[in-house]
Amino acid sequence: MRRDWPDYSITEYALCGLFLGGAIVCFIVAGHAWATEEPWDALEQAGAGLLLLGGSVDPVRYVVDTLTFPWHATEPAGRDTWITRLAAGLGLLLWLAGVAGNWIT
C-alpha cells in the first residue's frame, strides 16, 4: 500500500536543518565531554542530541507539541515513526540522567 506523505514546507526545512545542526553540535560536545572524562556532561549532551534528532522528522509538530504539551494543537503529518519516538524518549532519559548526575556531584 502506497502512502503519499505531505511535502515539507519552507518552515519545516528550516526547522529540520536547525534540529540536525543542533544534534550534530550536541554529539560533538558529548564526544569532547566523554574524552575529557566528564560522563554526566556527555550523557546530557547525547540526550539533547537525540531529542533534537527525534524532532527533525516532523519539526513543526515537535515544536508546537513542546510549547503546548498539555494540548495537541496540530495533527501529525504521518512522518514520525516509533523509532523517532523511541529516540526522543531515550534522549529525554539520557538528558535527565546527565542533569541529575551533574546536580548530585
mmCIF file of all heavy atoms in Angstrom, residues 31-61:
data_model
loop_
_atom_site.group_PDB
_atom_site.id
_atom_site.type_symbol
_atom_site.label_atom_id
_atom_site.label_comp_id
_atom_site.label_asym_id
_atom_site.label_seq_id
_atom_site.Cartn_x
_atom_site.Cartn_y
_atom_site.Cartn_z
ATOM 1 N N GLY A 31 31.005 14.000 22.644
ATOM 2 C CA GLY A 31 32.272 13.292 22.419
ATOM 3 C C GLY A 31 33.437 13.961 23.127
ATOM 4 O O GLY A 31 34.298 13.293 23.703
ATOM 5 N N HIS A 32 33.476 15.280 23.104
ATOM 6 C CA HIS A 32 34.532 16.008 23.811
ATOM 7 C C HIS A 32 34.409 15.805 25.315
ATOM 8 O O HIS A 32 35.418 15.610 26.011
ATOM 9 C CB HIS A 32 34.475 17.498 23.474
ATOM 10 C CG HIS A 32 35.505 18.295 24.187
ATOM 11 N ND1 HIS A 32 35.247 18.932 25.389
ATOM 12 C CD2 HIS A 32 36.805 18.542 23.890
ATOM 13 C CE1 HIS A 32 36.341 19.544 25.793
ATOM 14 N NE2 HIS A 32 37.307 19.325 24.896
ATOM 15 N N ALA A 33 33.194 15.857 25.835
ATOM 16 C CA ALA A 33 32.996 15.648 27.273
ATOM 17 C C ALA A 33 33.402 14.235 27.678
ATOM 18 O O ALA A 33 33.989 14.031 28.743
ATOM 19 C CB ALA A 33 31.540 15.918 27.654
ATOM 20 N N TRP A 34 33.110 13.265 26.824
ATOM 21 C CA TRP A 34 33.498 11.887 27.121
ATOM 22 C C TRP A 34 35.019 11.743 27.096
ATOM 23 O O TRP A 34 35.593 11.054 27.946
ATOM 24 C CB TRP A 34 32.854 10.942 26.115
ATOM 25 C CG TRP A 34 33.087 9.504 26.436
ATOM 26 C CD1 TRP A 34 34.027 8.698 25.889
ATOM 27 C CD2 TRP A 34 32.383 8.709 27.388
ATOM 28 N NE1 TRP A 34 33.950 7.453 26.431
ATOM 29 C CE2 TRP A 34 32.941 7.427 27.355
ATOM 30 C CE3 TRP A 34 31.327 8.959 28.253
ATOM 31 C CZ2 TRP A 34 32.493 6.388 28.166
ATOM 32 C CZ3 TRP A 34 30.880 7.936 29.059
ATOM 33 C CH2 TRP A 34 31.452 6.674 29.006
ATOM 34 N N ALA A 35 35.671 12.402 26.137
ATOM 35 C CA ALA A 35 37.129 12.321 26.030
ATOM 36 C C ALA A 35 37.829 13.002 27.203
ATOM 37 O O ALA A 35 38.920 12.598 27.594
ATOM 38 C CB ALA A 35 37.594 12.937 24.719
ATOM 39 N N THR A 36 37.214 14.032 27.765
ATOM 40 C CA THR A 36 37.809 14.728 28.909
ATOM 41 C C THR A 36 37.299 14.174 30.235
ATOM 42 O O THR A 36 37.470 14.816 31.270
ATOM 43 C CB THR A 36 37.525 16.241 28.833
ATOM 44 O OG1 THR A 36 36.114 16.457 28.798
ATOM 45 C CG2 THR A 36 38.188 16.862 27.624
ATOM 46 N N GLU A 37 36.695 12.984 30.184
ATOM 47 C CA GLU A 37 36.232 12.254 31.357
ATOM 48 C C GLU A 37 35.221 13.037 32.191
ATOM 49 O O GLU A 37 35.350 13.171 33.405
ATOM 50 C CB GLU A 37 37.421 11.796 32.206
ATOM 51 C CG GLU A 37 38.323 10.851 31.460
ATOM 52 C CD GLU A 37 39.504 10.373 32.290
ATOM 53 O OE1 GLU A 37 39.615 10.763 33.476
ATOM 54 O OE2 GLU A 37 40.304 9.626 31.749
ATOM 55 N N GLU A 38 34.224 13.546 31.514
ATOM 56 C CA GLU A 38 33.082 14.188 32.161
ATOM 57 C C GLU A 38 31.820 13.438 31.722
ATOM 58 O O GLU A 38 31.092 13.882 30.839
ATOM 59 C CB GLU A 38 33.006 15.660 31.768
ATOM 60 C CG GLU A 38 34.198 16.476 32.219
ATOM 61 C CD GLU A 38 34.179 17.877 31.658
ATOM 62 O OE1 GLU A 38 33.282 18.197 30.854
ATOM 63 O OE2 GLU A 38 35.071 18.640 32.026
ATOM 64 N N PRO A 39 31.563 12.276 32.345
ATOM 65 C CA PRO A 39 30.480 11.411 31.841
ATOM 66 C C PRO A 39 29.088 12.014 31.976
ATOM 67 O O PRO A 39 28.223 11.757 31.142
ATOM 68 C CB PRO A 39 30.616 10.142 32.691
ATOM 69 C CG PRO A 39 31.318 10.578 33.930
ATOM 70 C CD PRO A 39 32.225 11.707 33.516
ATOM 71 N N TRP A 40 28.837 12.824 32.997
ATOM 72 C CA TRP A 40 27.498 13.401 33.162
ATOM 73 C C TRP A 40 27.223 14.448 32.086
ATOM 74 O O TRP A 40 26.106 14.517 31.569
ATOM 75 C CB TRP A 40 27.326 13.999 34.549
ATOM 76 C CG TRP A 40 27.506 12.992 35.635
ATOM 77 C CD1 TRP A 40 28.467 12.981 36.598
ATOM 78 C CD2 TRP A 40 26.720 11.811 35.850
ATOM 79 N NE1 TRP A 40 28.318 11.882 37.401
ATOM 80 C CE2 TRP A 40 27.250 11.151 36.969
ATOM 81 C CE3 TRP A 40 25.618 11.265 35.210
ATOM 82 C CZ2 TRP A 40 26.713 9.968 37.462
ATOM 83 C CZ3 TRP A 40 25.086 10.072 35.689
ATOM 84 C CH2 TRP A 40 25.628 9.441 36.800
ATOM 85 N N ASP A 41 28.237 15.233 31.747
ATOM 86 C CA ASP A 41 28.065 16.194 30.654
ATOM 87 C C ASP A 41 27.871 15.474 29.328
ATOM 88 O O ASP A 41 27.087 15.919 28.475
ATOM 89 C CB ASP A 41 29.269 17.133 30.571
ATOM 90 C CG ASP A 41 29.336 18.099 31.730
ATOM 91 O OD1 ASP A 41 28.274 18.355 32.343
ATOM 92 O OD2 ASP A 41 30.433 18.599 32.023
ATOM 93 N N ALA A 42 28.590 14.349 29.142
ATOM 94 C CA ALA A 42 28.436 13.567 27.919
ATOM 95 C C ALA A 42 27.023 13.000 27.807
ATOM 96 O O ALA A 42 26.412 13.030 26.732
ATOM 97 C CB ALA A 42 29.472 12.444 27.880
ATOM 98 N N LEU A 43 26.485 12.481 28.924
ATOM 99 C CA LEU A 43 25.109 11.974 28.915
ATOM 100 C C LEU A 43 24.113 13.074 28.592
ATOM 101 O O LEU A 43 23.176 12.881 27.811
ATOM 102 C CB LEU A 43 24.758 11.372 30.279
ATOM 103 C CG LEU A 43 25.093 9.923 30.524
ATOM 104 C CD1 LEU A 43 24.732 9.541 31.947
ATOM 105 C CD2 LEU A 43 24.394 9.030 29.549
ATOM 106 N N GLU A 44 24.319 14.220 29.209
ATOM 107 C CA GLU A 44 23.399 15.342 28.992
ATOM 108 C C GLU A 44 23.408 15.787 27.526
ATOM 109 O O GLU A 44 22.344 15.981 26.925
ATOM 110 C CB GLU A 44 23.822 16.490 29.900
ATOM 111 C CG GLU A 44 22.853 17.622 29.971
ATOM 112 C CD GLU A 44 23.280 18.670 30.985
ATOM 113 O OE1 GLU A 44 24.113 18.371 31.868
ATOM 114 O OE2 GLU A 44 22.769 19.791 30.878
ATOM 115 N N GLN A 45 24.578 15.908 26.948
ATOM 116 C CA GLN A 45 24.666 16.364 25.560
ATOM 117 C C GLN A 45 24.192 15.299 24.577
ATOM 118 O O GLN A 45 23.564 15.629 23.564
ATOM 119 C CB GLN A 45 26.103 16.783 25.235
ATOM 120 C CG GLN A 45 26.528 18.024 25.967
ATOM 121 C CD GLN A 45 25.627 19.198 25.658
ATOM 122 O OE1 GLN A 45 25.222 19.423 24.528
ATOM 123 N NE2 GLN A 45 25.291 19.953 26.694
ATOM 124 N N ALA A 46 24.481 14.030 24.851
ATOM 125 C CA ALA A 46 23.987 12.961 23.972
ATOM 126 C C ALA A 46 22.468 12.894 24.013
ATOM 127 O O ALA A 46 21.812 12.688 22.982
ATOM 128 C CB ALA A 46 24.597 11.622 24.373
ATOM 129 N N GLY A 47 21.890 13.085 25.196
ATOM 130 C CA GLY A 47 20.431 13.100 25.312
ATOM 131 C C GLY A 47 19.812 14.258 24.556
ATOM 132 O O GLY A 47 18.800 14.105 23.877
ATOM 133 N N ALA A 48 20.433 15.427 24.663
ATOM 134 C CA ALA A 48 19.922 16.587 23.930
ATOM 135 C C ALA A 48 20.032 16.356 22.428
ATOM 136 O O ALA A 48 19.130 16.730 21.668
ATOM 137 C CB ALA A 48 20.687 17.843 24.333
ATOM 138 N N GLY A 49 21.108 15.720 21.993
ATOM 139 C CA GLY A 49 21.263 15.410 20.575
ATOM 140 C C GLY A 49 20.189 14.457 20.077
ATOM 141 O O GLY A 49 19.637 14.638 18.990
ATOM 142 N N LEU A 50 19.879 13.434 20.870
ATOM 143 C CA LEU A 50 18.814 12.506 20.482
ATOM 144 C C LEU A 50 17.452 13.175 20.471
ATOM 145 O O LEU A 50 16.614 12.884 19.621
ATOM 146 C CB LEU A 50 18.793 11.301 21.420
ATOM 147 C CG LEU A 50 19.825 10.219 21.143
ATOM 148 C CD1 LEU A 50 19.766 9.145 22.212
ATOM 149 C CD2 LEU A 50 19.603 9.617 19.777
ATOM 150 N N LEU A 51 17.219 14.073 21.429
ATOM 151 C CA LEU A 51 15.963 14.824 21.430
ATOM 152 C C LEU A 51 15.815 15.650 20.156
ATOM 153 O O LEU A 51 14.749 15.682 19.537
ATOM 154 C CB LEU A 51 15.887 15.738 22.651
ATOM 155 C CG LEU A 51 15.425 15.113 23.943
ATOM 156 C CD1 LEU A 51 15.664 16.062 25.102
ATOM 157 C CD2 LEU A 51 13.972 14.739 23.857
ATOM 158 N N LEU A 52 16.871 16.322 19.766
ATOM 159 C CA LEU A 52 16.818 17.130 18.543
ATOM 160 C C LEU A 52 16.709 16.256 17.304
ATOM 161 O O LEU A 52 15.995 16.598 16.356
ATOM 162 C CB LEU A 52 18.055 18.020 18.449
ATOM 163 C CG LEU A 52 18.100 19.181 19.432
ATOM 164 C CD1 LEU A 52 19.451 19.869 19.372
ATOM 165 C CD2 LEU A 52 16.986 20.157 19.166
ATOM 166 N N LEU A 53 17.397 15.123 17.300
ATOM 167 C CA LEU A 53 17.325 14.226 16.157
ATOM 168 C C LEU A 53 15.929 13.631 16.005
ATOM 169 O O LEU A 53 15.426 13.489 14.893
ATOM 170 C CB LEU A 53 18.360 13.117 16.337
ATOM 171 C CG LEU A 53 18.845 12.395 15.111
ATOM 172 C CD1 LEU A 53 19.424 13.368 14.106
ATOM 173 C CD2 LEU A 53 19.867 11.358 15.494
ATOM 174 N N GLY A 54 15.281 13.301 17.121
ATOM 175 C CA GLY A 54 13.913 12.785 17.068
ATOM 176 C C GLY A 54 12.918 13.814 16.573
ATOM 177 O O GLY A 54 11.914 13.484 15.964
ATOM 178 N N GLY A 55 13.201 15.079 16.825
ATOM 179 C CA GLY A 55 12.292 16.135 16.391
ATOM 180 C C GLY A 55 12.482 16.561 14.957
ATOM 181 O O GLY A 55 11.646 17.278 14.408
ATOM 182 N N SER A 56 13.547 16.121 14.306
ATOM 183 C CA SER A 56 13.799 16.582 12.945
ATOM 184 C C SER A 56 12.915 15.910 11.910
ATOM 185 O O SER A 56 12.854 16.350 10.772
ATOM 186 C CB SER A 56 15.271 16.374 12.580
ATOM 187 O OG SER A 56 15.579 15.002 12.561
ATOM 188 N N VAL A 57 12.202 14.861 12.273
ATOM 189 C CA VAL A 57 11.342 14.171 11.309
ATOM 190 C C VAL A 57 10.077 14.964 11.031
ATOM 191 O O VAL A 57 9.668 15.123 9.888
ATOM 192 C CB VAL A 57 10.997 12.758 11.829
ATOM 193 C CG1 VAL A 57 10.043 12.061 10.886
ATOM 194 C CG2 VAL A 57 12.260 11.951 11.998
ATOM 195 N N ASP A 58 9.442 15.458 12.073
ATOM 196 C CA ASP A 58 8.226 16.265 11.930
ATOM 197 C C ASP A 58 8.417 17.516 12.792
ATOM 198 O O ASP A 58 7.849 17.635 13.870
ATOM 199 C CB ASP A 58 7.012 15.456 12.379
ATOM 200 C CG ASP A 58 5.700 16.075 11.952
ATOM 201 O OD1 ASP A 58 5.732 17.165 11.342
ATOM 202 O OD2 ASP A 58 4.645 15.477 12.217
ATOM 203 N N PRO A 59 9.240 18.461 12.334
ATOM 204 C CA PRO A 59 9.704 19.544 13.203
ATOM 205 C C PRO A 59 8.632 20.516 13.666
ATOM 206 O O PRO A 59 8.672 20.954 14.817
ATOM 207 C CB PRO A 59 10.768 20.258 12.370
ATOM 208 C CG PRO A 59 10.516 19.867 10.975
ATOM 209 C CD PRO A 59 9.836 18.543 11.005
ATOM 210 N N VAL A 60 7.666 20.850 12.839
ATOM 211 C CA VAL A 60 6.652 21.816 13.251
ATOM 212 C C VAL A 60 5.799 21.230 14.364
ATOM 213 O O VAL A 60 5.554 21.881 15.383
ATOM 214 C CB VAL A 60 5.797 22.264 12.053
ATOM 215 C CG1 VAL A 60 4.618 23.086 12.507
ATOM 216 C CG2 VAL A 60 6.643 23.047 11.069
ATOM 217 N N ARG A 61 5.382 20.009 14.217
ATOM 218 C CA ARG A 61 4.581 19.381 15.268
ATOM 219 C C ARG A 61 5.405 19.230 16.542
ATOM 220 O O ARG A 61 4.904 19.407 17.643
ATOM 221 C CB ARG A 61 4.083 18.015 14.823
ATOM 222 C CG ARG A 61 3.398 17.341 15.996
ATOM 223 C CD ARG A 61 2.405 16.360 15.611
ATOM 224 N NE ARG A 61 1.734 15.960 16.866
ATOM 225 C CZ ARG A 61 1.268 14.790 17.074
ATOM 226 N NH1 ARG A 61 1.309 13.895 16.147
ATOM 227 N NH2 ARG A 61 0.703 14.502 18.218
#
